[in-house]
Amino acid sequence: MAGRDAEIEKPLGGATKMGKVPKMAKVKNKAPAELQITAEQLLREAKERELEIVPPPPKQKIQDEEELRDFQMRKRKNFEDAIRKNRSVLSNWIKYATWEESQGVLDRARSVYERALDVDHRNIGLWLKYTEMEMRSKQVNHARNLWDRAVTILPRANQFWYKYTYMEEMLNNIPGCRAVFERWMEWEPDEQPWLTYIKFELRYKELDRARRIYEKFVFVHPDNKNWIRFARFEESHGFINSARLIYERAVEFFGEEHMEEKLFIAFAKFEENQKEHDRARVIYKYALDNMEKENCTELFKAYTIHEKKFGERSGIENVILSKRKFQYEEEVKENPMNYDAWFDYIRLVESEGNVDVIRETYERAIANVPPSKEKHYWRRYIYLWINYAIYEELEANDMERARQVYRAALDLLPHKRFTFAKLWLLYAQFEIRQKDVGTARRALGSALGKCPKAKIFRGYIDMEIQLREFTRCRTLYEKFLEFNPENVQTWMKFAELETLLGDVERARALYELAIGQPRLDMPEILWKAYIDFEIEQEETDRARDLYKRLLTRTQHVKVWLSFAQFELQVEHEDRLEEARHVYEEANKKLRQGGEKEERLMLLEAWRQFEKESGSQSTINVVEKLMPRRVKKRRKIQSEDGSDQGWEEYFEYIFPEDEADKPNLKLLAMAKMWKKNKDQQQDEEVSTETREDGATEVITEEERRAEETRSREENPDADDQDIANESDSDDEE
């Protein structure tokens, strides 16, 4: 070792190589110091110290062996002192052993490592440093012994096993490496060591050994992905039957309780790659039938893609149906009261045609009874029962079961609060189709007794009419009118029935009773029906009397127009005179009422009548009665009484009304005289002369002010195009 240069190393401070930080002294006095140092001062001092040039430590060259021994003794003394001070700091041991290795004294380095292992034999880094030293020195047996000791003491430290097997393989000691792997596998490590062992065997083409390792691996780590790895290993090496057998073993191993979609997708894709599309389809269907729907999302997608690639139209539809069933299941599970989702789900199930499944779905749906007794919560729900009964009758052809469904639905309803007439009528019609008229009548009679409704009455009456039981129809109409005498339609239908039966007097009596009721919902329809009835019976005088009786109750313009049209259509010589007389009477009555719009409508209809059937003289008479339309203004006031400006409106002025107001013309003439007088005064003022002989001209603003004042005196004269009442009277 003489002549070797050696450098005096600087002692290491701060954190050690092992990552341990020396303990910091605790600060007892945490009060602020009297003299505060700013951050700026700290930065300035740090910068100044950087500028100081620190000379490097001097290098010492060793010239002879004695000087080398002296240097080694001093270094060993320093290392021993550091170890003696703190034996638990393993970085000191590693530095010591590394230095001894650098000096080429392996025995001393081994001794240091052994002493360090006595201190902490569970330190993985220490074992790795020790074995790496032996391998660098090509001491294979020493390294092998160390690995054996390490894996015996720390069998769960995978680093030792990886390094040990790597060393043996690098030494081309394949049996020894395999023996190490076998020892390792006895401890049942994680998945990666097993896969490393398998890759090792595959590197040397030992397929049988790799297969045996896989057999142990899938039982030590029974996960789906490991079974899939095993099957793909067999497939990749061309053992198709073995791969299929492994997939089947995996499905059997996990059973129906621990099924996962990844295994079935892999199995189906394997069969798909082997062109076994029927097998793949069976696998998909088996998984979808036995797994929970929420865990089959990816399985549905894979099945859909498979069917689109290799399936027929029916297969694709089945996949889509299954997917939609899963969606509907999720919806009804989230909200059982979502009846629209139940309707869609049932419709989908009915398209498949499985009777048991359809009935089960209906039973599940109708089990979700609305919690509230309010009718609007039941409106959608009751259709589940109706659809169920219709399905049993039309599709399943089970009449007794359909009857049970109807009766169960009727028993479920709280009839004291509300009922559904549609359900009662459907049940009665069902019994009629079964030729059980008595049961149908009892059902509708029970409905009228529990909760009478107009719709039930009408449905019951229609049923009896179809059965030609007119006596029962009369009885039902009487009960209906007792229940609701204000309903005009009921009176009219009853009278129409009597008319069809040929009993005119009975129908007329019904109409008389109807118009004599104190309250009716639509009396105008009833009167019109009564009049039309008399006209159909060619009872002109009775119809005319009805018009006159109606006009004693109302003076509506449409009644007068209908009366005039009636007189015009009656076949007799004086029909034009009678119609004209009706128009005249109507004009007088409406004039008394003061409804100008209705009077205008009447006069227009009268004028049209005269144009079609009258002469020029009669047309002129009506034209003289036509009103003039005048534009006027009026103030707009808000709810609080404040002015909101002016608005324009049109008013109709009838000549007959003006004739009744003689003073109106006199007042208009007085306004016109005052207006003319004001204009003359304005002309005199405008021609006045100044003292200097010049003529003063009235400004445009003054003229506009005068015009505004004159307008305020006559507000109706604001529009020059439309004459007001006073202007028109003046011109006349």
Side-chain angles (χ1 to χ4, degrees), residues 165 307 475:
T165 55
E307 290 298 332
T475 305

Side-chain angles (χ1 to χ4, degrees), residues 436-694:
D436 192 351
V437 180
T439 304
R441 285 172 175 161
R442 285 193 296 271
L444 292 177
S446 177
L448 295 176
K450 291 180 179 179
C451 189
K453 293 183 67 175
K455 189 173 182 180
I456 299 177
F457 273 110
R458 288 194 292 270
Y460 197 177
I461 292 170
D462 290 340
M463 185 187 76
E464 295 295 352
I465 290 175
Q466 292 175 2
L467 295 174
R468 299 297 186 266
E469 294 287 345
F470 300 113
T471 304
R472 290 180 177 273
C473 291
R474 288 189 174 115
T475 305
L476 288 172
Y477 269 122
E478 292 172 1
K479 297 293 184 182
F480 195 1
L481 292 173
E482 290 177 5
F483 168 69
N484 186 11
E486 299 177 3
N487 192 343
V488 169
Q489 294 292 338
T490 308
W491 289 101
M492 292 168 57
K493 291 289 185 182
F494 195 4
E496 288 176 6
L497 175 65
E498 296 295 349
T499 304
L500 292 174
L501 296 177
D503 197 340
V504 178
E505 294 299 328
R506 191 180 181 90
R508 186 175 289 114
L510 284 173
Y511 277 121
E512 289 293 338
L513 286 174
I515 62 177
Q517 295 297 319
R519 292 186 61 183
L520 293 171
D521 51 3
M522 293 181 292
E524 64 278 3
I525 297 177
L526 179 64
W527 280 94
K528 185 177 184 305
Y530 192 7
I531 292 171
D532 292 342
F533 164 76
E534 294 293 356
I535 293 174
E536 289 177 1
Q537 302 299 323
E538 298 181 358
E539 295 288 345
T540 307
D541 296 335
R542 290 181 180 273
R544 187 178 292 107
D545 292 340
L546 284 175
Y547 271 117
K548 293 179 180 179
R549 289 168 61 187
L550 178 57
L551 289 171
T552 58
R553 298 191 180 191
T554 180
Q555 294 294 325
H556 199 277
V557 64
K558 290 186 178 181
V559 179
W560 285 106
L561 293 177
S562 178
F563 190 13
Q565 196 68 22
F566 163 74
E567 292 291 356
L568 184 62
Q569 292 176 355
V570 174
E571 296 294 337
H572 59 85
E573 297 178 356
D574 298 333
R575 60 188 183 89
L576 296 178
E577 294 297 330
E578 292 292 336
R580 188 174 291 112
H581 177 68
V582 171
Y583 280 119
E584 293 173 355
E585 289 294 326
N587 187 31
K588 292 179 182 178
K589 296 294 183 182
L590 294 178
R591 179 182 173 188
Q592 295 175 2
E595 294 293 336
K596 295 185 178 181
E597 296 289 342
E598 294 185 358
R599 286 181 66 188
L600 178 62
M601 187 187 302
L602 176 71
L603 290 174
E604 289 177 350
W606 190 1
R607 181 172 59 185
Q608 184 65 27
F609 160 72
E610 295 294 350
K611 287 180 179 179
E612 294 177 357
S613 305
S615 60
Q616 187 61 39
S617 60
T618 56
I619 294 175
N620 294 336
V621 171
V622 178
E623 289 290 348
K624 291 180 181 180
L625 297 176
M626 296 300 291
R628 292 181 296 106
R629 192 175 71 163
V630 178
K631 184 193 293 185
K632 289 189 176 183
R633 293 189 306 167
R634 59 188 172 195
K635 284 186 177 181
I636 304 175
Q637 290 186 345
S638 62
E639 296 180 356
D640 56 358
S642 61
D643 292 339
Q644 298 292 328
W646 294 76
E647 69 171 353
E648 293 182 348
Y649 69 99
F650 289 102
E651 185 176 358
Y652 294 99
I653 299 175
F654 292 86
E656 294 176 321
D657 296 340
E658 292 179 350
D660 292 342
K661 298 178 181 179
N663 296 329
L664 185 61
K665 186 173 183 180
L666 181 62
L667 180 61
M669 293 175 65
K671 287 182 179 181
M672 182 59 65
W673 175 82
K674 189 176 185 305
K675 181 179 179 181
N676 294 333
K677 185 177 180 181
D678 291 341
Q679 288 179 355
Q680 291 176 1
Q681 291 178 357
D682 293 342
E683 292 175 358
E684 292 175 359
V685 172
S686 62
T687 56
E688 289 181 355
T689 307
R690 294 182 180 181
E691 293 179 359
D692 55 0

Side-chain angles (χ1 to χ4, degrees), residues 412-429:
L412 183 64
L413 289 175
H415 297 289
K416 292 183 179 180
R417 301 194 62 176
F418 63 85
T419 190
F420 288 95
K422 186 179 186 67
L423 186 62
W424 288 103
L425 295 175
L426 287 174
Y427 177 43
Q429 292 168 5

Side-chain angles (χ1 to χ4, degrees), residues 2-5 61-68:
R4 178 182 296 179
D5 294 340
K61 292 185 179 181
I62 299 173
Q63 299 295 333
D64 55 7
E65 186 175 354
E66 184 179 355
E67 189 176 354
L68 175 61

Side-chain angles (χ1 to χ4, degrees), residues 60 62 64-78 99:
Q60 182 181 0
I62 299 173
D64 55 7
E65 186 175 354
E66 184 179 355
E67 189 176 354
L68 175 61
R69 288 176 181 174
D70 183 54
F71 168 71
Q72 290 176 344
M73 185 179 296
R74 280 187 281 112
K75 288 290 291 183
R76 288 187 181 112
K77 185 177 181 300
N78 291 335
W99 183 81

Side-chain angles (χ1 to χ4, degrees), residues 181-228:
F181 269 119
E182 289 295 336
R183 287 175 59 191
W184 191 5
M185 296 304 113
E186 290 176 359
W187 289 96
E188 296 182 357
D190 296 333
E191 295 179 2
Q192 189 57 44
W194 290 91
L195 299 176
T196 305
Y197 188 13
I198 292 169
K199 289 179 181 178
F200 164 76
E201 295 292 357
L202 291 177
R203 280 196 295 271
Y204 298 98
K205 311 299 181 183
E206 295 287 346
L207 297 180
D208 293 335
R209 290 180 181 273
R211 186 177 292 111
R212 286 196 294 270
I213 297 168
Y214 263 122
E215 291 287 351
K216 296 178 182 178
F217 176 42
V218 295
F219 283 101
V220 174
H221 295 284
D223 196 359
N224 284 293
K225 60 182 180 181
N226 297 330
W227 283 95
I228 294 171

Side-chain angles (χ1 to χ4, degrees), residues 376-441:
H376 63 275
Y377 292 112
W378 290 66
R379 293 187 184 278
R380 299 292 293 163
Y381 170 72
I382 202 64
Y383 277 95
L384 290 172
W385 288 94
I386 294 173
N387 292 346
Y388 189 11
I390 293 174
Y391 169 77
E392 292 292 348
E393 180 185 359
L394 300 180
E395 300 295 334
N397 293 322
D398 192 342
M399 305 306 168
E400 186 59 33
R401 192 179 181 90
R403 183 178 288 108
Q404 293 175 3
V405 171
Y406 276 120
R407 290 178 178 176
L410 292 172
D411 293 339
L412 183 64
L413 289 175
H415 297 289
K416 292 183 179 180
R417 301 194 62 176
F418 63 85
T419 190
F420 288 95
K422 186 179 186 67
L423 186 62
W424 288 103
L425 295 175
L426 287 174
Y427 177 43
Q429 292 168 5
F430 166 77
E431 294 293 354
I432 292 293
R433 287 193 293 273
Q434 306 310 313
K435 300 180 180 180
D436 192 351
V437 180
T439 304
R441 285 172 175 161

